[in-house]
Amino acid sequence: MSIDEVVPVLDVHPPHEAVHGWRDFLLHLLTITIGLLIALSLEGMVEWEHHRHLVHEAEASLHAEIKSNSDGLQKMLTEVEKQQSLLKQDVVTLKGFMAKPKPKHGTMEIGFHISNFDSVSWKTAQSTGALAYMPYGKAQEFAEIYSTQDELQAAEQVAARDAIISLAPFMNSEEKDPDPDAAEANAIKDKIEVLQGQLLLVDSLVKGLDQEYKKFLAAHSE
């Protein structure tokens, strides 16, 4: 029988025989005390084993989740750098529309892709209380990684909103429509430059998260 199968029961019975004097009373009291201590010790051991198993499962799951998120981060960084390059070209095109004479042709491309990070294991560790039984240093290590992930995802959502705002002037345009005039081009350029600034933040957070992933995985290599 394993320790997990032991179910300690605190069952205290009065003495079956009459107590004769202080000596018998103290003997019965000592017997009851020892029994209670044994039962409490067994209960504590079972609970400790349960918590240890819970922490082990949580750590394994979190490690796998972080590894999975890390594997997709380089692709995200490449996408951000590509978008930054396209936006620079968009600004050049818009400046051309603002100049005299205007260029005969100009192309623009605005878009942004939001990456998804898995966090089921992190949420499960929180809801089951596994984090409370981890050493403080380990719990803090996981918390910092997932906090950075949350910051990055929030920054991505803002960037996506900025991309939508930048695209708004073109939503109902048709091929036969005239090119933007100088004022329109300048207004669009202002919106794109806001998006460029937000992408700088996204880029910084991606690189910071990448360093956190690498540090964690190097310290906890299987």
Side-chain angles (χ1 to χ4, degrees), residues 19-31:
V19 177
H20 302 287
W22 283 102
R23 182 178 179 180
D24 286 348
F25 173 76
L26 292 175
L27 180 61
H28 284 298
L29 181 61
L30 179 62
T31 302

Side-chain angles (χ1 to χ4, degrees), residues 28-72:
H28 284 298
L29 181 61
L30 179 62
T31 302
I32 292 171
T33 301
I34 292 173
L36 288 172
L37 289 174
I38 292 173
L40 289 171
S41 296
L42 287 173
E43 185 178 18
M45 290 175 66
V46 171
E47 188 174 356
W48 174 84
E49 177 65 19
H50 170 70
H51 293 163
R52 189 183 70 84
H53 181 67
L54 182 65
V55 168
H56 176 73
E57 284 191 331
E59 288 181 349
S61 182
L62 286 165
H63 186 282
E65 188 168 78
I66 290 171
K67 177 66 168 61
S68 176
N69 287 337
S70 176
D71 290 341

Side-chain angles (χ1 to χ4, degrees), residues 5 15 29 62 67 85 100 108 110 113 119 128 138 149 175 177 194-195 207 213 217:
E5 296 173 316
L29 181 61
L62 286 165
K67 177 66 168 61
S85 178
K100 293 182 180 180
M108 293 182 61
I110 302 172
H113 173 72
S119 59
T128 59
K138 279 190 176 181
Q149 279 188 191
E175 188 175 351
D177 291 342
V194 171
L195 175 56
K207 291 176 180 176
Y213 282 158
L217 294 172

Side-chain angles (χ1 to χ4, degrees), residues 107-163:
T107 59
M108 293 182 61
E109 183 176 342
I110 302 172
F112 185 75
H113 173 72
I114 295 180
S115 301
N116 292 318
F117 292 94
D118 294 329
S119 59
V120 174
S121 295
W122 173 244
K123 292 175 182 176
T124 302
Q126 290 177 308
S127 63
T128 59
L131 292 174
Y133 302 114
M134 288 184 189
Y136 180 80
K138 279 190 176 181
Q140 185 180 39
E141 192 174 23
F142 288 124
E144 288 176 352
I145 289 174
Y146 282 91
S147 176
T148 304
Q149 279 188 191
D150 289 342
E151 288 181 41
L152 175 53
Q153 289 193 295
E156 283 189 293
Q157 291 172 358
V158 174
R161 182 207 62 189
D162 292 340

